[in-house]
Amino acid sequence: MTHPVLAQLAATADRPGPVVMGVVNVTPDSFSDGGRWIESDAAVAHGRQLAADGALVVDVGGESTRPGATRPSTDEELRRVVPVVEALAAEGVVVSVDTMRAEVAEAALAAGGAIINDVSGGLADPQMPDLVARSGAPFVVMHWRGHAHDMQTRAHYDDVVGEVCSELTERVDALLAAGADREQLVLDPGIGFAKTAEHNWQLLAGLEQVVDLGYPVLLGTSRKGFLGKVGRAEGQERALDARAVVTAATSARAARAGVWCVRVHDVVATVDAIDVAAALGEVRSLRDGRCATSSGNGESGQGERR
């Protein structure tokens, strides 16, 4: 079976390839656009524009998880997030809430949110697994080894792809034991979280192994530091707002691997990249529990997951 929200997204998609999730950071300190959408009206307008650009999901977050970030209070996170979720959901937008706190996730669901996107995979708040089980909402389980203030000290792996897959499987088992249903769970390899640039590239090269765990996969590379540095000499890294093309290239890679969803700031560039991958017959997209492989004429047929 497929979760109804994921089935709805599959039914409304007008192209093969990953679902595109647009980012709305209602924060003063996010690494890419902190402060631009801190006011509710601006955040809602931005979310509306992302949906118009082709995002099927808008991800609203009130806490920056960049390396070194300081956590806001629960009350402040609620103040930032809930009005934006409520307004966008009222307009028919499928909204994901990006939070590590069960209280914030529950309030966002009550305001019309549809998906919980927890970068800690349910580890940061001991109440989160119970909420996932009670709510029945789709839950993004990201690979996580610690909070932003010290996560990069934990970036040690012998086999990053294998260890990420193993640790994600442990989180899935814990959530299922807490009462969650398999159909609720979406996996995220956690690009940039307790990972060096080399770890990130190894994970991108091995995405099929994450997809092979048998769950929809979400990938979040957008504007991250390793994309700013790729191919550039030290001191000549791409600016944050000049990373749409390199991000879109990773979205095309995700399409080839069968990733279900890509989380991006620059929706138009990623939609374009996925369209090109589809025209080339390179899209293998896990949408509603089945893997569809597009033909060169843009039509999709059933293919086997590998």
Side-chain angles (χ1 to χ4, degrees):
M1 290 183 63
T2 303
H3 192 282
V5 172
L6 305 188
Q8 174 193 350
L9 290 170
T12 56
D14 60 0
R15 56 173 43 86
V19 166
V20 178
M21 174 186 283
V23 180
V24 177
N25 290 317
V26 194
T27 60
D29 57 346
S30 289
F31 81 95
S32 64
D33 55 4
R36 294 186 67 183
W37 322 115
I38 190 63
E39 297 300 330
S40 293
D41 288 348
V44 171
H46 185 52
R48 190 182 296 125
Q49 183 60 56
L50 292 171
D53 288 342
L56 292 186
V57 184
V58 171
D59 192 45
V60 177
E63 174 182 355
S64 172
T65 51
R66 63 177 174 80
T70 301
R71 304 195 74 188
S73 68
T74 300
D75 286 346
E76 175 61 16
E77 189 179 354
L78 286 164
R79 185 194 68 77
R80 295 173 182 178
V81 166
V82 173
V84 180
V85 172
E86 186 171 27
L88 288 172
E91 295 183 15
V93 177
V94 178
V95 180
S96 169
V97 58
D98 180 358
T99 184
M100 292 184 278
R101 290 179 166 126
E103 183 176 346
V104 175
E106 188 162 25
L109 293 177
I115 298 169
I116 304 169
N117 181 15
D118 181 352
V119 300
S120 81
L123 284 168
D125 185 342
Q127 303 304 314
M128 187 68 85
D130 177 66
L131 172 64
V132 174
R134 286 190 292 107
S135 70
F139 184 69
V140 180
V141 185
M142 199 191 81
H143 178 264
W144 188 80
R145 285 186 168 182
H147 284 288
H149 70 277
D150 69 347
M151 65 181 176
Q152 291 310 105
T153 67
R154 308 178 190 214
H156 303 287
Y157 305 87
D158 293 322
D159 170 10
V160 66
V161 179
E163 289 172 56
V164 165
C165 288
S166 176
E167 291 170 31
L168 282 173
T169 299
E170 290 175 5
R171 290 307 306 144
V172 165
D173 290 345
L175 289 161
L176 295 177
D181 289 332
R182 178 184 175 88
E183 290 74 22
Q184 289 177 257
L185 304 182
V186 175
L187 306 185
D188 179 343
I191 297 291
F193 286 79
K195 307 191 179 63
T196 65
E198 182 59 29
H199 294 145
N200 293 334
W201 290 117
Q202 290 172 10
L203 277 167
L204 284 171
L207 276 176
E208 285 84 357
Q209 294 181 53
V210 184
V211 173
D212 279 349
L213 293 175
Y215 294 83
V217 172
L218 182 148
L219 183 72
T221 63
S222 187
R223 296 185 181 177
K224 292 186 176 178
F226 78 111
L227 295 180
K229 295 175 182 177
V230 63
R232 297 293 179 93
E234 186 175 353
Q236 298 180 3
E237 294 87 352
R238 295 169 185 84
L240 285 163
D241 59 0
R243 298 177 187 175
V245 175
V246 284
T247 297
T250 66
S251 296
R253 165 68 186 125
R256 292 193 297 272
V259 164
W260 167 71
C261 180
V262 288
R263 180 183 182 273
V264 299
H265 300 82
D266 305 290
V267 169
V268 172
T270 272
V271 168
D272 287 348
I274 293 171
D275 284 347
V276 170
L280 292 170
E282 295 181 349
V283 168
R284 297 173 57 253
S285 178
L286 185 63
R287 286 192 178 281
D288 58 354
R290 297 170 294 175
C291 188
T293 303
S294 74
S295 63
N297 62 8
E299 296 176 352
S300 62
Q302 293 306 311
E304 300 227 318
R305 291 194 33 219
R306 61 178 183 180

